[in-house]
Amino acid sequence: MHRGVPGPLRRLARDRLRLGALALIAAATAAIAGVQAGAAATLQQTLDQHWRGAYDLIVTADPGDGGGTVAFAAGAAGAAGASDLTDAPVAGGPASAPLLAPNALAADPEAGVTSDQLEAIRAIAGVDVAAPLARVLLPRIGGGTLRFSVPIDAGRTTPDPRAWRATVRVLTDDGLGPRLVTEQSVALVVDDADADRVVHLRPDQVRPDDLCVLDGVSYPMDSPEADPCRWRDVHTVAVRTGSQVTAGGEVVDGRLVFDVIDTPRANPVLTLVDAAAERELLGEAGAFLDPLVAARSAGTDASRLRSWLEQQPGEVAAHSVGTYTAMQQRADDLATTWAARGLPLDALPSGLPDGLPVLVGPTADQTLRLEVELEDFGPTAVSDRVAGGYAFPDALIDGLPGEPAGRIEADAGALLDPLSDARIVLPWPGTEAPALDPLHPDFPAFDGGVPLAAPHYRPTEAGPRLDAERYSPGYRSLLFGYEVGSPVLETSPGGGAVGSESVYGTLGDIPTLDQGEPVAQQLVPVGELDLDGVSALADPLAAAPLGAYESAGATLVADGDGEPVDPTELRPNLSGTGLVNAATTLVADLASVDPDAADVPIQAVRVRVAGIDEFDADALARIDGVAQRIRALGLDVVHAAGSSPIDVDVAVGGYAFGTLDAAETQRVGDLGLVRQRWTELEAASRVGSAISTATTIALGAGLGAAALLVGASTLVAIPGRRRVASTLRMIGWRRRRIVQWFGLEELIAVAVIAATGTAAVLVAQDRGLTLIGAAAAVTIVAAFGAASVIAGSRGETRPRGDARPRSRRRTTARVGRRGRTALRPLTAARFGVRQVRIHPLFAASVALTMLTAAGAAVSIAAIVLAERDAAGASLLAGFALGQALAARLLLAGVALAAAAVLGVLSRRLEIRRRAAQDGVLRAIGWTGAERHRAWRAESLAILLPAAAIITAVAAAIAAAVRPGDAVLLAGIAAASATLAGAATLATRRRIRDGASPRTERTGR
């Protein structure tokens, strides 16, 4: 090489346009690598923060024994821990996503983990906490009383009984609107006169075998000594329900108060946990469990529990002490009576029953309302005021209408509290009700209840489906609705009866009502159930279901015909077995359950593994190791770590629709589609894998796009190199030397792309796949560079536009009547179209730029769509995909911006090359408008065919790869190709008649 010949770097530095293009591609490649590296770091941070809930594993009894979790997983047939729901796709979720139904961890209410197995789990190395769980339904637990009050008429002093009919309607609301629970017509006789409320009976008015106990001595009731015992309260109210007649009534603050119907109630669900383990599992959020943990020191003996309660602060403990006091007083009175009658005291229970400490919470998500219509049937007769012997008019008994006497409405939601002794008093129309002191009835008995597990969802092509096969009454009287030997929870195969509710939960064995059996344990409130801390504990993106506390909500989104409806939040029903379960209102400690009193199976154990902080392969290996050791105990294990909530649409059938007309039969049929918040298991791993793979592929696509843009810029340089090559040949250079001359310049471009590709490999998570992409990009740049060097080293040749045979060249035509010959040049439009053939390399560079922009945009769009399919529809996936989308859009923006700027630079190179041609056009008189028309024609001749071909190719590929998104991807290809082409071709400055000095110098 001769001295003074500039080197490739110097030559490149002199060519500012090519230098700018190369710098732009290098910057774009570096930006692509940086964006993707940032996306990978953001993803890792997101997973570290949101991948783990309170525990890592769900342990249940072996599926062969009826156990297993209620996992709804498409494509997971035969997988351990899956129920029979194993082959149906879930709308909105990935094809193989295992899903867990809301608030339910166990498939079979009876199959349980034994206490020995629980201890074996806790002994496994690596187990931090093992927290057991059981849920039981508690029928026949009443809450409070419902009474009426009638003001006493102080102006009347003689008995004046009057007959009435009270039509009592109890209503609830399942979210679809009010529905009737029960409607009862009750015949009443009420004597509101201010007459004597007590009478003294003569000896001949009592039974002689009755005894009067005075100072521990028994006297026959008809003896003179028994005179103090012959005072009797007068029954001023008689209530007839069907054929049953009861008498009563007491005076409170000048009002006559009496019962009308048995109290409506809900069947509460009792959640049993190991209080200490649950407290450790929940951390600070489990502070509400402290009373249960502390109550362990008192045990279950009633006297010790009462003494412990007396030392505890709070209204709940004080109220329970008052109940114990009232119970003990009633027990002492009964013992005194038995002793006075000479009955054996050893037949009475020795002391009060043992207690099961419980936490009690509110029932705010259920509703209960009362409506009472009164009818007056006038005065009636009385035969025996002491015995309540009032006469009911025939018209009242026969159902004939009476005189309307008013309407009473009241909110009775307090009656749904299973351990409340609230006394709701309905005032007579136009009056006020008195406030009544608590009755302190006995604590409810605990006999184990009815084990309750998750509904069994049936797989269909459209997703999970839930059908009711049994129905429970919404109202059942404790006084008249049970007989000895009858089931404590009544269900029937039909739901047409008024008040019936669909049973969707899976019930265990339903015990029968036994009479005379001593109460072994009672539910004793020791504290309030405050779940605010649990709600705060739940990570909205990655919360393993606790299976106990939260309400499993449901939102109706489509009717039974599949037509969309306004989203409607459904409410819990009263039976406790409906589609929506109420939030937990009772929590007890498994350690305090008397095994002789109740056999409660441990339905699930939630296990947290020790020594885990971040989401990585080591953490997953630790969890899997513990899971394998638990499986060796003969138990089923499902990974809960990395779980995330997901909305699932469930088709619900067999729904008992409510009615407001007691004479109607309830309609039973398809409710429609309800949207529930389920849990997608292993969502974090799925999200991490999907986004990491997409990130790597997007990085490769970005590198490929940058390489193609470099290739497009090299095509524009070929004509200039041919001119240089022709000059070099004239001074004696051989072609080999010319190839070396140009080749050194291209090596710089290859080196720049290789350097940025190496940087991308270093910051990528999947270095192997990224290395392949970087190598492909370097290969593309090298191939285009080699083509440019070979083509440019040939020197100039005659333009293809002038190579036609002379016979086909029509540049003139005869015009005029005398046959004179005149020049008729090509029109501006035809001239512009002809430029495409004369300058094919420029047209090819524009088409390649358009193809690169369209390919980058379509690739990113396809990556985003595939990424969403693979990641699933969980909330964690939505959050992480939203973060990744910003990186994807930025990547697409960088690629499109690079294509546009590179197009501008390429066009400027072309303008410089065409300077002489532009000068000739001005010289022959072409105006700026004509040159504009020629330019627009050339631009359209390049842009429209290229855009059409690119769109057609993109549509064909999309139809084969993603047929459902073919239209979307074809539209993206068309838009991005057109925009890139327009940006490339719209850079010619406005041409005016008379060029500026700069225009004259550059030929523009």
Side-chain angles (χ1 to χ4, degrees):
M1 184 177 294
H2 299 287
R3 173 180 287 185
V5 175
L9 284 175
R10 188 175 179 182
R11 295 197 304 274
L12 184 63
R14 289 176 178 175
D15 192 344
R16 295 182 180 180
L17 292 180
R18 288 201 62 210
L19 180 63
L22 186 59
L24 171 67
I25 296 303
T29 305
I32 290 169
V35 167
Q36 298 307 94
T42 300
L43 172 63
Q44 184 62 46
Q45 182 180 10
T46 298
L47 294 179
D48 287 342
Q49 294 176 350
H50 301 289
W51 79 283
R52 195 181 184 204
Y55 63 95
D56 304 308
L57 300 170
I58 302 172
V59 182
T60 55
D62 185 84
D65 298 329
T69 59
V70 183
F72 190 99
S83 70
D84 57 339
L85 306 174
T86 54
D87 292 315
V90 178
S96 60
L99 303 180
L100 195 65
N103 208 21
L105 301 182
D108 192 319
E110 297 290 345
V113 178
T114 66
S115 57
D116 292 339
Q117 288 173 324
L118 175 61
E119 294 306 317
I121 293 172
R122 289 172 170 169
I124 292 175
V127 172
D128 183 23
V129 181
L133 172 72
R135 299 173 70 233
V136 295
L137 196 67
L138 299 179
R140 300 187 68 253
I141 291 185
T145 58
L146 175 63
R147 317 195 80 187
F148 280 66
S149 76
V150 179
I152 293 176
D153 188 351
R156 292 201 310 269
T157 58
T158 57
D160 184 23
R162 196 174 187 88
W164 308 82
R165 177 187 292 131
T167 302
V168 183
R169 292 163 54 89
V170 182
L171 300 104
T172 187
D173 190 336
D174 59 359
L176 303 178
R179 57 183 292 161
L180 195 59
V181 177
T182 184
E183 179 174 306
Q184 302 181 49
S185 291
V186 181
L188 306 174
V189 173
V190 179
D191 185 357
D192 60 353
D194 190 14
D196 292 336
R197 297 291 166 177
V198 294
V199 295
H200 189 266
L201 301 180
R202 301 186 306 272
D204 61 346
Q205 293 179 310
V206 298
R207 294 187 306 175
D209 55 343
D210 287 343
L211 296 177
C212 173
V213 180
L214 297 174
D215 298 328
V217 180
S218 299
Y219 302 97
M221 192 61 70
D222 58 352
S223 65
E225 292 82 2
D227 184 76
C229 294
R230 290 198 292 270
W231 289 95
R232 294 286 188 272
D233 291 331
V234 173
H235 293 298
T236 55
V237 175
V239 179
R240 176 170 176 159
T241 305
S243 60
Q244 300 278 349
V245 179
T246 57
E250 62 175 323
V251 177
V252 178
D253 295 337
R255 297 173 180 87
L256 184 61
V257 181
F258 55 93
D259 297 329
V260 174
I261 66 169
D262 192 17
T263 307
R265 61 189 52 79
N267 294 330
V269 175
L270 172 66
T271 298
L272 295 119
V273 298
D274 182 322
E278 194 78 6
R279 177 68 168 86
E280 186 176 359
L281 184 75
L282 300 179
E284 292 301 320
F288 68 92
L289 293 163
D290 289 343
L292 287 184
V293 177
R296 287 185 173 184
S297 63
T300 59
D301 179 76
S303 59
R304 293 183 57 191
L305 191 55
R306 176 181 176 179
S307 299
W308 177 83
L309 283 167
E310 290 173 346
Q311 307 301 318
Q312 305 306 310
E315 296 181 0
V316 175
H319 192 276
S320 293
V321 170
T323 300
Y324 265 132
T325 301
M327 290 174 59
Q328 187 62 56
Q329 183 62 52
R330 288 191 288 270
D332 293 343
D333 293 343
L334 179 61
T336 300
T337 301
W338 277 47
R341 294 181 177 181
L343 299 175
L345 295 180
D346 56 2
L348 294 175
S350 58
L352 300 179
D354 288 348
L356 176 62
V358 296
L359 302 177
V360 183
T363 57
D365 51 356
Q366 291 174 294
T367 62
L368 197 66
R369 189 164 57 88
L370 300 174
E371 297 177 354
V372 182
E373 298 281 352
L374 290 173
E375 298 172 76
D376 187 0
F377 285 84
T380 187
V382 58
S383 59
D384 187 349
R385 295 179 70 220
V386 176
Y390 295 97
F392 293 89
D394 292 340
L396 174 59
I397 301 301
D398 294 340
L400 298 178
E403 186 69 23
R407 178 186 177 91
I408 307 172
E409 294 186 6
D411 179 8
L415 297 176
L416 299 177
D417 186 345
L419 299 186
S420 169
D421 57 5
R423 305 175 72 185
I424 294 181
V425 181
L426 300 181
W428 211 251
T431 67
E432 295 181 357
L436 303 182
D437 294 331
L439 287 176
H440 288 295
D442 290 0
F443 294 118
F446 175 66
D447 56 3
V450 181
L452 177 66
H456 279 184
Y457 296 84
R458 180 167 59 86
T460 69
E461 289 297 328
R465 181 178 177 85
L466 194 58
D467 288 287
E469 298 179 354
R470 305 289 296 181
Y471 301 85
S472 70
Y475 172 85
R476 192 177 183 186
S477 172
L478 283 180
L479 298 178
F480 310 119
Y482 292 87
E483 297 179 357
V484 176
S486 66
V488 297
L489 179 64
E490 186 180 65
T491 63
S492 63
V498 171
S500 292
E501 297 174 336
S502 303
V503 174
Y504 291 107
T506 305
L507 301 174
D509 292 336
I510 300 176
T512 57
L513 179 63
D514 296 325
Q515 189 175 30
E517 292 291 331
V519 176
Q521 255 186 319
Q522 294 177 321
L523 301 176
V524 180
V526 298
E528 294 182 356
L529 181 60
D530 183 4
L531 298 180
D532 290 342
V534 177
S535 301
L537 171 71
D539 187 327
L541 299 181
L546 294 173
Y549 307 108
E550 64 278 0
S551 173
T555 302
L556 184 67
V557 295
D559 60 21
D561 296 326
E563 296 296 327
V565 299
D566 292 334
T568 303
E569 293 291 333
L570 302 180
R571 292 176 174 271
N573 63 8
L574 301 182
S575 67
T577 61
L579 179 65
V580 181
N581 71 291
T584 295
T585 56
L586 297 174
V587 175
D589 189 359
L590 276 167
S592 299
V593 175
D594 184 354
D596 296 330
D599 182 16
V600 179
I602 298 175
Q603 295 172 343
V605 180
R606 295 148 298 158
V607 175
R608 185 170 65 209
V609 179
I612 294 178
D613 296 317
E614 298 179 348
F615 177 76
D616 53 24
D618 180 66
L620 297 178
R622 283 174 176 266
I623 294 173
D624 189 63
V626 172
Q628 294 297 335
R629 289 190 286 274
I630 294 176
R631 289 192 182 100
L633 301 175
L635 298 170
D636 180 65
V637 182
V638 170
H639 287 254
S643 299
S644 179
I646 182 173
D647 290 332
V648 175
D649 289 346
V650 180
V652 177
Y655 191 81
F657 292 88
T659 180
L660 293 177
D661 187 349
E664 287 186 356
T665 299
Q666 290 190 161
R667 180 173 68 89
V668 177
D670 287 343
L671 173 63
L673 283 180
V674 299
R675 185 161 297 157
Q676 290 186 309
R677 181 61 55 85
W678 288 33
T679 300
E680 181 182 324
L681 303 175
E682 304 173 13
S685 297
R686 188 171 298 106
V687 170
S689 175
I691 296 182
S692 296
T693 301
T695 298
T696 303
I697 295 174
L699 177 57
L703 293 175
L708 289 175
L709 291 175
V710 172
S713 68
T714 61
L715 294 179
V716 182
I718 291 177
R721 283 179 171 174
R722 284 179 175 176
R723 291 194 302 272
V724 173
S726 297
T727 302
L728 293 176
R729 283 188 179 184
M730 292 174 62
I731 63 175
W733 283 39
R734 294 183 180 275
R735 188 175 182 183
R736 180 177 180 182
R737 187 177 181 185
I738 296 173
V739 169
Q740 292 177 347
W741 174 273
F742 293 145
L744 291 175
E745 296 178 9
E746 294 303 325
L747 285 178
I748 297 175
V750 173
V752 170
I753 296 298
T756 53
T758 301
V761 171
L762 293 177
V763 301
Q765 285 187 325
D766 191 340
R767 293 187 175 181
L769 195 58
T770 307
L771 179 60
I772 295 175
V778 173
T779 302
I780 293 173
V781 172
F784 273 105
S788 176
V789 169
I790 294 171
S793 64
R794 295 172 54 190
E796 287 186 307
T797 61
R798 177 175 293 182
R800 291 176 58 193
D802 294 333
R804 296 174 297 162
R806 184 177 299 276
S807 62
R808 296 182 58 190
R809 300 181 189 174
R810 283 195 173 181
T811 58
T812 62
R814 294 183 181 275
V815 296
R817 288 178 293 178
R818 296 183 181 181
R820 291 179 298 177
T821 301
L823 290 176
R824 189 179 67 181
L826 296 174
T827 64
R830 292 180 61 192
F831 177 81
V833 172
R834 191 178 180 193
Q835 294 298 296
V836 178
R837 299 182 61 193
I838 297 175
H839 306 287
L841 291 177
F842 174 69
S845 69
V846 174
L848 185 57
T849 301
M850 294 172 63
L851 176 62
T852 303
V858 171
S859 297
I860 296 301
I863 288 170
V864 170
L865 294 173
E867 183 180 39
R868 290 184 176 276
D869 291 344
S874 67
L875 298 189
L876 177 61
F879 181 77
L881 289 172
Q883 291 181 319
L885 180 61
R888 307 288 183 262
L889 294 177
L890 182 58
L891 173 62
V894 169
L896 293 176
V901 175
L902 185 60
V904 172
L905 296 177
S906 299
R907 178 58 187 156
R908 289 186 177 180
L909 286 172
E910 183 65 13
I911 290 174
R912 177 190 298 175
R913 196 172 72 85
R914 297 190 194 183
Q917 174 183 280
D918 204 38
V920 171
L921 294 176
R922 288 198 307 273
I924 65 174
W926 277 39
T927 65
E930 288 176 313
R931 299 199 302 276
H932 267 304
R933 284 197 297 272
W935 170 245
R936 284 196 296 269
E938 180 183 356
S939 299
L940 292 175
I942 297 174
L943 192 150
L944 293 180
I949 294 173
I950 291 171
T951 302
V953 171
I957 296 175
V961 178
R962 297 189 64 87
D965 302 312
V967 175
L968 172 63
L969 295 178
I972 292 175
S976 55
T978 303
L979 289 175
T984 301
L985 299 171
T987 58
R988 190 172 179 88
R989 296 183 178 179
R990 179 178 178 83
I991 302 174
R992 297 175 182 159
D993 294 328
S996 66
R998 174 176 175 81
T999 305
E1000 293 295 337
R1001 288 197 307 270
T1002 60
R1004 298 178 60 192

